[in-house]
Amino acid sequence: GQQLNQSPQSMFIQEGEDVSMNCTSSSIFNTWLWYKQDPGEGPVLLIALYKAGELTSNGRLTAQFGITRKDSFLNISASIPSDVGIYFCAGPPFNYGKLTFGQGTILTVHP
Amino acid sequence: GAVVSQHPSWVICKSGTSVKIECRSLDFQATTMFWYRQFPKQSLMLMATSNEGSKATYEQGVEKDKFLINHASLTLSTLTVTSAHPEDSSFYICSARDTGGPDNEQFFGPGTRLTVL
């Protein structure tokens, strides 16, 4: 099946630091989605990207749809303790239609 | 908007019993819903696609007779784990696609923690 490579797998940062994570795929994606999952909860959609090159912000979060359509990154600026959780990239590969998820990035923020 | 609920949020059952999990889209219609399972510290794995008024489509390796899916209305899909065994213990999450929204956006429920003793 389709696979997304998400990195890093985990991050330990100090409050106030910026964070960057990314996803790459061997297939072209027509949409990139970034989700956050808190422990024991379902994923919550953070940002949706629909066009190659698109750069979208949601508060302290910024995500970009790579121009090759095979990658995307998510940046979090000035991290705070409530940013702790697992971040997943996801998307439907071209002509597949179902969401494929990255392995997730576990973010820990130290006060 | 775009709220999806699941019930129950957690369930403990004995081996051999069946468990039903409900997934509801509260403020939108969902022709298509999806069922995932997630093991600790792992990503979400798609089990099946639930289509209103028709049979569900199961991913390779998922037993359709084991995981029964019913999508009887535009706001409700159910997953029944039949004759549950300890290896079925997992976190089950549903998602719903807003019929009137972008095709590729899915909104997730809060998940159901199933523990089979």
Side-chain angles (χ1 to χ4, degrees):
Chain A
Q2 307 293 337
Q3 288 193 348
L4 289 180
N5 294 313
Q6 185 173 348
S7 64
Q9 288 187 329
S10 62
M11 303 182 74
F12 298 84
I13 62 170
Q14 291 293 127
E15 183 177 0
E17 291 183 359
D18 297 342
V19 171
S20 184
M21 58 193 80
N22 69 82
C23 273
T24 60
S25 169
S26 56
S27 304
I28 291 174
F29 276 57
N30 54 24
T31 300
W32 282 98
L33 306 170
W34 284 94
Y35 289 89
K36 182 192 178 195
Q37 185 178 28
D38 290 328
E41 299 287 334
V44 173
L45 182 63
L46 299 175
I47 292 179
L49 302 163
Y50 298 102
K51 290 167 44 179
E54 179 181 355
L55 182 71
T56 297
S57 294
N58 178 6
R60 294 178 295 107
L61 279 60
T62 302
Q64 185 161 29
F65 193 143
I67 57 173
T68 65
R69 298 172 67 186
K70 294 183 178 181
D71 64 307
S72 177
F73 71 75
L74 174 70
N75 287 344
I76 305 173
S77 63
S79 59
I80 58 178
S82 61
D83 290 334
V84 165
I86 306 176
Y87 292 80
F88 290 101
C89 62
F94 183 70
N95 279 345
Y96 182 56
K98 300 176 186 177
L99 282 189
T100 298
F101 281 81
Q103 303 95 324
T105 295
I106 301 173
L107 179 64
T108 303
V109 180
H110 294 289
Chain B
V3 178
V4 177
S5 69
Q6 274 184 248
H7 177 80
S9 55
W10 60 270
V11 56
I12 301 173
C13 69
K14 292 182 178 180
S15 185
T17 61
S18 294
V19 175
K20 180 186 282 188
I21 303 170
E22 293 185 349
C23 177
R24 294 181 185 272
S25 57
L26 298 186
D27 51 2
F28 64 98
Q29 292 185 332
T31 306
T32 304
M33 292 184 174
F34 303 87
W35 288 96
Y36 297 81
R37 67 186 296 182
Q38 184 180 31
F39 292 106
K41 297 186 179 180
Q42 293 190 21
S43 191
L44 284 77
M45 296 298 296
L46 180 64
M47 299 175 64
T49 302
S50 173
N51 301 298
E52 187 266 336
S54 64
K55 291 183 178 180
T57 304
Y58 291 81
E59 295 300 300
Q60 190 174 5
V62 178
E63 300 175 58
K64 62 180 181 181
D65 295 330
K66 172 87 176 160
F67 299 98
L68 300 178
I69 291 172
N70 184 278
H71 193 154
S73 78
L74 287 172
T75 59
L76 173 64
S77 175
T78 61
L79 169 69
T80 301
V81 183
T82 62
S83 186
H85 289 91
E87 58 266 29
D88 298 324
S89 298
S90 188
F91 193 51
Y92 292 87
I93 310 174
C94 72
S95 71
R97 179 185 289 165
D98 185 345
T99 303
D103 283 346
N104 297 322
E105 283 188 18
Q106 292 181 24
F107 301 95
F108 286 82
T112 297
R113 173 75 58 193
L114 171 63
T115 302
V116 185
L117 303 176

